[in-house]
Amino acid sequence: MKPGIFITGTDTDVGKTVVSAGLALVLRGRGMKVGVMKPVATGCYGSDEKLISQDAAFLMEAAQNEYPPLTSPSRFRNPLSPNVAAMLEKKEVDVPNILKSYRELQKHYDFIIVEGVGGLMVPLKKDYYVANLIRDMGLPIVIVSYAGLGAINHTLLTVDAATIRGLEVRGIIFNRVAVANYSLAELTNPKVIHDLSGVPILGSLPNIEGLNMDNCQFGKLKEIFQERIRVDKIAGNLVGAIPQK
Ligand SMILES: Nc1ncnc2c1ncn2[C@@H]1O[C@H](COP(=O)(O)OP(=O)(O)O)[C@@H](O)[C@H]1O
Ligand SMILES: [Mg+2]
């Protein structure tokens, strides 16, 4: 099986898309053929026949991918949990089709970055959560979190939910950390979370000026990601194996 990573988070809006895009930019910059996938997307826009996921569009721009239906096989208009959006829109989350799209994408790329929807316990359909999809895809995970007050609880809950379900947690990335005037919580939380969970901390990203998902602007995401995130711990020995461009 070709390698890949599933980017999940403690919550929605925590920075999964930004981290997924940053990873895609860095790996692509190192000469890897990187595929991206947003298997289930809600809050999509456009006509019913051609619903667009903003997350998928941003990721595809970062990775320069060419297979839109495979990248985003399950799209819903309502900004709701997928099971509820599916019910309202009289559709369903077609898991076999998602897994088929994933296997098809694997044929085209060296490494696949999959962005989740919400967190691990977001229901996709009856008795089936994001965590189940990750298991069925057979991918390790990276957890995107924040470093401020509340992060210990949210991050440890996510690590526990993953571990109980047999998922391999490669590490935690803190997003939107302060670069000056840290709060006491931001200063102390990463070490506390590492000590209590035993999960590697892969780095942290500050707020990136000029990053704008609405018009696919990355600002200095690639450079900052490269400098501050342990990419080798995510993509394993693949990173060193591919000659840098
Ligand atoms: N490090 C960052 N720098 C600048 N903007 C960010 C950063 N992280 C997230 N954002 C912005 O915050 C919003 C939520 O981030 P996003 O990656 O979409 O979260 P998620 O995918 O977890 O829902 C987006 O508008 C995104 O552009
Ligand atoms: Mg997202």
Side-chain angles (χ1 to χ4, degrees), residues 84-235:
V84 183
M87 194 178 68
L88 277 180
E89 295 169 39
K90 300 189 172 35
K91 296 195 272 192
E92 62 163 344
V93 176
D94 185 347
V95 175
N97 184 50
I98 291 171
L99 297 174
K100 200 171 129 216
S101 303
Y102 173 56
R103 284 191 294 272
E104 190 59 33
L105 269 184
Q106 285 183 312
K107 294 181 190 161
H108 300 283
Y109 300 106
D110 299 326
F111 189 88
I112 312 274
I113 300 165
V114 184
E115 184 197 338
V117 51
L120 289 179
M121 294 309 292
V122 166
L124 299 181
K125 52 188 226 173
K126 192 170 183 304
D127 298 327
Y128 194 93
Y129 299 85
V130 168
N132 294 82
L133 179 65
I134 300 171
R135 271 206 77 150
D136 286 345
M137 295 175 103
L139 286 169
I141 68 170
V142 163
I143 298 168
V144 182
S145 186
Y146 59 104
L149 202 60
I152 297 177
N153 177 54
H154 285 143
T155 315
L156 295 184
L157 280 172
T158 302
V159 171
D160 260 14
T163 310
I164 288 165
R165 286 163 184 80
L167 304 179
E168 178 197 339
V169 187
R170 283 271 161 94
I172 298 162
I173 294 176
F174 295 102
N175 186 36
R176 287 193 137 164
V177 298
V179 286
N181 305 319
Y182 301 90
S183 69
L184 211 50
E186 281 181 297
L187 207 57
T188 52
N189 278 348
K191 180 168 169 16
V192 173
I193 288 169
H194 172 66
D195 289 348
L196 294 177
S197 67
V199 174
I201 306 301
L202 304 178
S204 55
L205 291 178
N207 203 57
I208 295 164
E209 239 177 84
L211 188 152
N212 188 336
M213 285 180 57
D214 291 336
N215 50 13
C216 278
Q217 296 295 310
F218 300 108
K220 293 223 173 316
L221 175 60
K222 179 180 169 187
E223 293 78 5
I224 293 171
F225 200 96
Q226 185 143 266
E227 197 180 291
R228 303 187 58 141
I229 305 295
R230 295 292 309 270
V231 173
D232 56 316
K233 298 268 185 209
I234 305 174

